[in-house]
Amino acid sequence: MIIDLGLLTYALTAVPTATTLSAFGFVLLLIIMIWFVVVSIWLSRYYPQELYKQVNGDADRIPSNILPPFLGGLALVVLAVAALFVGYLLSPTGAADTTNTTADSDSSYTESLPEEDTSLPAAEEPAESPAPTDSTPAPADPEPVEETSCLVPVSEPWKGAWCNPDGSGLFIFDATVYTVDTSQLNDDGSITIFRTDDRDGSLYYTYTLSADETELTQETPDGSIVGTFYRPSYDMAPNPLPDAYWGGYTMVEDNTITDFNPAGDVNELGPTDDFIIDAFRFGSFSYEQLTDLGDGTWSAYFAIPPEGGEYTFGFSEESDGLYMTIYSPIDGSVRYRYLRTSQ
């Protein structure tokens, strides 16, 4: 039972949630509970008889000291708490390798074509520091759409879409759940990004963006190189959204906020502001199975951990600008509305 508690804590606090392991843990817990009931029934029926035989009917020989069972129960409680704590410490909390498109499609901004001279303006110089700090650069307006296939914040040029040298493994770079990214400008013009746990500051990975902003190298804390990634070409985008809709959007309406839930539900698709849309990125995720529904709305599947989901969104031109609406995947009601504030 104690081991199973640790497994359940590990599975339920992992990011993304380890659904298979948690299901196994719950089944095992059910079996343990049934075993407890069976043993309790057996003891209630046979133990008094066996005890009577052992003491030959002399009640004074029956142990009455409460200390041993109390200490045994206390030991079980301590072990159970320790199992819960160890399971929590061992669970992966958002440190998933960003080369995994499903685990790390929890991302942000997107990219420029590698075969064209579309390098971004020089990154705004972050504070010089030998180690990661708790400050991150403030979001900036996305780069204007010219001949690029994406938008990237000028102050954070490492964000956006990357892929392996052969074009596989497309992923969007951004901080995931329970992580924070801080940057450091190097003497050679490259930028080092430190990805740390926002709870205890432990280092997950370091990334180095080359001075010409064409390569992103990922390393483990011990200096081992995980891989070097490059910007994907435009033709890798799955049915890219027309560039008339690209830009930076700011939320103006959140219909998940109610009297019973004043903070609103979690917006799985990304931040409430600086929501970027382009050929590769929709908020915090890359497109999968993008479909034009023909009535001004679009449908796309997003690999949101642990199971993913399909969302419908549409665009409407109004007097004060272009609006984007995200509809509820459950009943089709309006869930969020965004106004395009930069292009």
Side-chain angles (χ1 to χ4, degrees):
M1 180 182 68
I2 291 171
I3 293 175
D4 190 49
L5 288 176
L7 287 175
L8 283 173
T9 306
Y10 173 92
L12 296 177
T13 58
V15 178
T17 306
T19 52
T20 301
L21 183 58
S22 61
F24 170 77
F26 280 116
V27 171
L28 183 58
L29 187 62
L30 177 62
I31 295 174
I32 293 171
M33 293 299 104
I34 295 175
W35 179 80
F36 270 130
V37 172
V38 172
V39 171
S40 299
I41 294 174
W42 185 87
L43 288 175
S44 67
R45 181 169 182 177
Y46 293 103
Y47 181 74
Q49 181 182 8
E50 293 299 320
L51 180 61
Y52 184 85
K53 291 179 180 178
Q54 290 178 21
V55 300
N56 293 322
D58 185 358
D60 292 336
R61 294 179 57 191
I62 299 176
S64 59
N65 189 352
I66 192 62
L67 186 58
F70 173 77
L71 292 177
L74 183 61
L76 285 176
V77 171
V78 171
L79 288 174
V81 172
L84 294 172
F85 184 66
V86 170
Y88 171 75
L89 289 180
L90 295 178
S91 66
T93 53
D97 187 343
T98 52
T99 60
N100 186 319
T101 57
T102 58
D104 218 10
S105 38
D106 201 38
S107 352
S108 246
Y109 308 93
T110 346
E111 73 284 78
S112 57
L113 290 172
E115 65 270 19
E116 299 177 11
D117 184 13
T118 56
S119 58
L120 302 174
E124 184 178 348
E125 182 171 337
E128 191 76 29
S129 171
T133 64
D134 291 334
S135 61
T136 52
D141 286 348
E143 181 186 58
V145 178
E146 296 173 352
E147 294 182 357
T148 61
S149 58
C150 66
L151 305 174
V152 179
V154 173
S155 63
E156 299 172 305
W158 57 86
K159 291 193 172 182
W162 297 91
C163 65
N164 292 317
D166 61 358
S168 64
L170 177 69
F171 69 94
I172 308 293
F173 185 94
D174 196 10
T176 59
V177 179
Y178 297 126
T179 68
V180 61
D181 292 336
T182 54
S183 62
Q184 173 181 303
L185 181 64
N186 302 318
D187 293 338
D188 61 357
S190 64
I191 300 176
T192 299
I193 304 96
F194 302 92
R195 170 157 294 181
T196 58
D197 190 323
D198 67 354
R199 295 166 297 183
D200 59 14
S202 59
L203 181 65
Y204 286 145
Y205 295 108
T206 60
Y207 300 85
T208 301
L209 178 69
S210 62
D212 60 4
E213 300 177 356
T214 61
E215 297 182 0
L216 183 72
T217 303
Q218 180 184 10
E219 297 182 18
T220 60
D222 62 4
S224 301
I225 296 180
V226 177
T228 299
F229 310 104
Y230 302 86
R231 295 295 191 186
S233 58
Y234 182 80
D235 57 10
M236 293 178 61
N239 304 321
L241 197 70
D243 58 11
Y245 299 129
W246 297 2
Y249 290 75
T250 298
M251 179 181 287
V252 295
E253 184 178 335
D254 183 353
N255 291 295
T256 63
I257 298 176
T258 66
D259 293 338
F260 301 101
N261 185 23
D265 296 334
V266 175
N267 184 3
E268 302 95 340
L269 294 172
T272 55
D273 53 13
D274 212 24
F275 192 101
I276 306 299
I277 295 178
D278 55 40
F280 288 89
R281 176 192 172 191
F282 184 81
S284 292
F285 292 88
S286 57
Y287 297 103
E288 294 184 39
Q289 304 170 13
L290 180 64
T291 304
D292 183 358
L293 301 180
D295 58 355
T297 60
W298 299 72
S299 175
Y301 179 85
F302 300 103
I304 302 171
E307 297 176 352
E310 188 164 349
Y311 286 81
T312 301
F313 54 95
F315 300 89
S316 60
E317 188 73 44
E318 301 181 19
S319 59
D320 53 347
L322 180 67
Y323 283 84
M324 187 269 293
T325 303
I326 299 177
Y327 300 94
S328 169
I330 300 175
D331 57 11
S333 60
V334 174
R335 190 168 186 182
Y336 305 103
R337 266 170 58 86
Y338 290 81
L339 174 64
R340 185 164 65 182
T341 52
S342 59
Q343 186 178 7

